[in-house]
Every structure is written in C-alpha cells, then in structure tokens.
C-alpha cells in the first residue's frame, strides 16, 4: 500500500501587486502581466519580506479560467534569499471573476484558487523547501494575493 497523503500548514505569503498590463488576445487567451511590489512571509519557521521584483504572468482563457505563473523571491528575517516559482489556476463564476478584475471584493470561498509553489535557495537552513512538494490555497484581493502554503507529507 502506498503512503497516505496529508498536508501541514507552513506559512502565509502576502504578495502586494501592482497595476495589470495586458498584452491582449494572443490566440488562446488574454496575456496579462502583474508586477510584484513586495509583501511578507509569516509562519512558524519561515518569516521574511517578499522582494519588490518579479511578476505574475497570466493567461485568461475564453472560459475565464486563469492560468498563473508567478516568479519572485523573498528574503527571510535571518538573511536567506528564497526564489519562488508559483504556478496555479483561478476559476469561478464569470460574474465574480469579472468583479475581481475590476478590483472589487469577492468572498475568496467562492473562487477556486490553488497554486503549486516551488522554492530554490542556497541556504542550508531552508533546503527542506527544495526537498518537498507544496500546495497553496490563495485569495485575490484588490492590492495583494494571500497564499497559505502547505507542505505535502
């Protein structure tokens, strides 16, 4: 029998975002680029600041399914730099997704927003981030994205 899957909460990423830039319809959806302006990381063993660079590169499919690919980094309170590649999807009722696009508040429970973050760092203390898989449950707000990151056990 294979091992049972379980998860363990690790930390929360609060990523501040800037204004959306659209490259327009690219043949299979609308390409959007959203700059990452900073933020914070808070958890039991990982705390720090999201660096003010990077972006979320999105494609909005005709069905309004949004494919996300964010690339950025954070620096821990003890000076380690951790690179993040976070892919995922966001989907829900079209009317609610359109409200989110306009920056209007939407109850996060009504939107499916999940990510798969991957981490890279040379800091020995945080190498475990590269040796495990993680899943994120996220919520989009007008000026930030909040992601609860869970380690897959």
């Amino acid at each position: 029998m294979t091992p049972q899957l379980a998860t363990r909460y690790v930390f929360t990423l609060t990523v501040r975002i800037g204004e959306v830039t659209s490259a327009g319809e690219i043949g299979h959806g609308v390409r959007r680029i959203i700059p990452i302006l900073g933020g914070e990381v808070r958890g039991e063993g990982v705390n720090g600041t999201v660096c003010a660079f990077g972006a979320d590169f999105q494609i909005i499919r005709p069905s309004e399914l949004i494919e996300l690919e964010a690339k950025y980094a954070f620096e821990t309170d003890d000076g380690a730099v951790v690179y993040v590649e976070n892919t995922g999807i966001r989907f829900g009722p079209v009317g609610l997704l359109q409200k989110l696009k306009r920056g209007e508040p939407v109850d996060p429970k009504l939107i499916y927003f999940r990510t798969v973050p991957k981490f890279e760092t040379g800091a020995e203390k945080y190498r475990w981030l590269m040796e495990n898989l993680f899943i994120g449950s996220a919520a989009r707000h007008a000026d930030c994205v909040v992601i609860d990151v869970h380690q897959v056990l």
Side-chain angles (χ1 to χ4, degrees):
M1 175 178 267
T2 60
Q4 291 264 333
L5 288 178
T7 62
R8 175 183 72 89
Y9 169 80
V10 180
F11 54 80
T12 297
L13 285 161
T14 301
V15 181
R16 288 186 300 105
I17 54 176
E19 295 295 317
V20 174
T21 298
S22 178
E25 172 58 51
I26 59 170
H28 57 279
V30 174
R31 169 65 73 187
R32 297 182 347 153
I33 303 137
I34 303 170
I36 292 173
L37 306 177
E40 65 179 20
V41 182
R42 292 288 171 257
E44 286 187 29
V46 182
N47 290 284
T49 304
V50 175
C51 300
F53 58 78
D56 183 2
F57 305 93
Q58 302 180 348
I59 295 179
I60 301 177
R61 301 291 180 196
S63 67
E64 293 293 321
L65 173 81
I66 301 171
E67 296 177 5
L68 309 110
E69 181 180 3
K71 297 182 179 191
Y72 54 100
F74 64 83
E75 184 173 353
T76 63
D77 288 348
D78 56 0
V81 174
V82 179
Y83 171 72
V84 182
E85 277 189 23
N86 203 359
T87 59
I89 62 170
R90 188 171 76 217
F91 191 71
V94 172
L96 295 180
L97 292 169
Q98 289 172 344
K99 284 179 78 169
L100 278 176
K101 276 197 240 180
R102 293 190 299 266
E104 298 174 26
V106 172
D107 182 349
K109 294 176 187 164
L110 302 176
I111 303 294
Y112 184 86
F113 188 179
R114 302 294 184 268
T115 69
V116 181
K118 287 176 46 180
F119 305 100
E120 294 178 357
T121 185
E124 188 63 36
K125 178 178 178 181
Y126 299 103
R127 290 195 65 85
W128 63 274
L129 291 170
M130 299 188 325
E131 298 165 346
N132 289 272
L133 294 176
F134 298 86
I135 191 85
S137 179
R140 171 74 152 86
H141 302 282
D143 63 345
C144 70
V145 174
V146 178
I147 307 165
D148 288 338
V149 177
H150 298 258
Q151 178 184 3
V152 178
L153 304 173

